Amino acid sequence: MMACGTNENSEIRVLVACEESQAVCIEFRSLGFEAYSCDVLSCSGGHPEWHIQGDVIPLLDKKWGAIIAFPPCTYLCSSGMHWTTRGLRDPKLTEDAKTFVLRLWEADCDYIAIENPIGVLSKTIRKPDQIIQPWMFGSNASKQTCLWLKNLPVLKSTHVIPPKNFQPVVHEDHYANCGCYGPTQDGLRYMKINGYEFACDESFKGKPVWDNQTPSGQNKLGPSDDRAILRAKTYPGIAKAMAEQWGSHIAHDFEGVMTQKYIRSGKIGSLM
C-alpha cells in the first residue's frame, strides 16, 4: 500500500467529478495523488485549494490519470422515475442527465468510474460492474450504489457490518461455544443481501435494517432543502477503499508508463 503523505504519485492527476464533499478527493490526496474535486457547488470538505467550482465538462478536455464521477441522480434513479412516467416531469431532464453522464464516461481517460443508484444508466451505459453498500466498508448504513468501471477493479469489502439483530454467517470451522452463526443451524433465519449471508434468531420477524433506516427500511432523513446533498455524500469507508484500491491499481499501471517515459527521455537507462 502507498504511504500517506508521500508525493510518489504526484504526477498522476485525478478528477473527482460532481463532488462537493471532497471525501474521495481528500483520500486520494492523502496517498500523494494530485486530486481535484469539481462541482457547481462550493466544497464542504475544507480544502478549497483542491476544488474547482463550476461545470466539469470543459475539464474533460484536459489530461487526467483517472476520473471518478458522482453525477447527480435526481433524473436518473429508478426511485424518482415515477415523476416522469406519470407526466409530472419533463422527460428531457432525464435525457439531458444521460447525455451528461455519457460525456463523462466517454472522456479521453484510461481509468473512469461512474457512481449512481440503480436506474436508467443500466441501459444507457450497461449493467453496473458492481453494486456496493456502505455496510461493506465499515459504515452502519444502507445505500445501494452502482459502479460502472473502465479499466478499474471492483472494490473489495473492508469491514462488513451486519444489520440490526443479525450476524454474518461463518462458513469456516467452528469451535465449541464459539457463538458464531454457521450455515445450517437450527433456530435461525437466513438471508442473503448483496451476496453476503446473514442470520438471526428465527423469533425475530423484522426486516434487516441498518442505523440510517427506519424499521420498514426507509431512509431516516426527512424532507429538507439539503436532503439531496446529504444523501449524495460518499461514506468514509467507501471513499477510502476507492482511493486505496483504485489508486494502487492506477499507480501500478502508471509505474510502467512513467518508467518507459523516462527511458525514452534518457533520464534513466533501459534495464533490457
Side-chain angles (χ1 to χ4, degrees):
M1 186 179 297
M2 296 166 288
C4 293
T6 68
N7 60 3
E8 59 188 354
N9 303 312
S10 60
E11 294 198 52
I12 307 176
R13 300 172 71 221
V14 177
L15 174 63
V16 188
C18 313
E19 186 192 46
E20 62 79 30
S21 71
Q22 297 191 294
V24 176
C25 175
I26 289 171
E27 290 293 343
F28 269 97
R29 282 276 176 171
S30 74
L31 298 177
F33 291 87
E34 187 183 345
Y36 297 92
S37 56
C38 177
D39 200 272
V40 294
L41 301 175
S42 59
C43 65
S44 63
H47 289 281
E49 71 275 16
W50 302 338
H51 187 67
I52 303 169
Q53 185 173 355
D55 183 4
V56 73
I57 296 299
L59 297 179
L60 301 181
D61 293 330
K62 300 182 181 296
K63 187 61 180 175
W64 298 98
I67 297 173
I68 317 297
F70 301 84
C73 66
T74 304
Y75 305 118
L76 298 170
C77 61
S78 296
S79 60
M81 287 307 296
H82 68 93
W83 295 103
T84 301
T85 57
R86 290 160 58 201
L88 302 176
R89 188 169 71 188
D90 187 351
K92 188 176 184 298
L93 293 170
T94 292
E95 293 305 311
D96 289 346
K98 288 160 60 176
T99 299
F100 175 73
V101 172
L102 286 176
R103 289 288 300 275
L104 295 167
W105 182 247
E106 295 170 357
D108 184 16
C109 180
D110 290 334
Y111 303 96
I112 298 176
I114 303 286
E115 180 268 8
N116 229 241
I118 292 173
V120 300
L121 292 187
S122 292
K123 293 183 178 180
T124 304
I125 301 176
R126 61 168 184 255
K127 289 185 177 181
D129 295 284
Q130 185 179 18
I131 297 177
I132 61 172
Q133 290 270 14
W135 53 258
M136 299 175 184
F137 301 91
S139 294
N140 197 327
S142 176
K143 181 189 175 187
Q144 191 158 251
T145 304
C146 301
L147 298 176
W148 289 265
L149 307 173
K150 185 179 291 185
N151 296 323
L152 290 171
V154 296
L155 295 176
K156 297 179 180 179
S157 63
T158 55
H159 180 197
V160 175
I161 303 291
K164 294 179 182 178
N165 299 299
F166 284 76
Q167 289 187 32
V169 174
V170 179
H171 287 264
E172 288 80 16
D173 291 337
H174 290 263
Y175 301 92
N177 302 317
C178 66
C180 298
Y181 284 178
T184 57
Q185 287 183 219
D186 292 334
L188 296 181
R189 177 165 68 105
Y190 290 87
M191 186 169 294
K192 185 169 284 190
I193 307 171
N194 294 110
Y196 290 81
E197 194 172 6
F198 301 102
C200 67
D201 190 282
E202 63 181 359
S203 63
F204 177 71
K205 304 301 182 183
K207 288 186 174 183
V209 297
W210 282 262
D211 279 356
N212 68 326
Q213 295 176 291
T214 64
S216 65
Q218 299 300 309
N219 192 283
K220 288 180 179 178
L221 279 177
S224 67
D225 292 339
D226 58 355
R227 186 178 191 272
I229 295 176
L230 293 174
R231 288 269 287 157
K233 291 183 185 295
T234 303
Y235 283 86
I238 292 178
K240 188 176 182 66
M242 287 178 171
E244 290 186 349
Q245 297 179 34
W246 290 345
S248 177
H249 179 83
I250 295 164
H252 180 270
D253 284 0
F254 261 78
E255 183 179 4
V257 172
M258 298 304 292
T259 299
Q260 290 302 314
K261 183 182 79 171
Y262 289 135
I263 289 173
R264 290 194 298 270
S265 69
K267 292 182 180 179
I268 60 175
S270 173
L271 299 178
M272 301 299 292

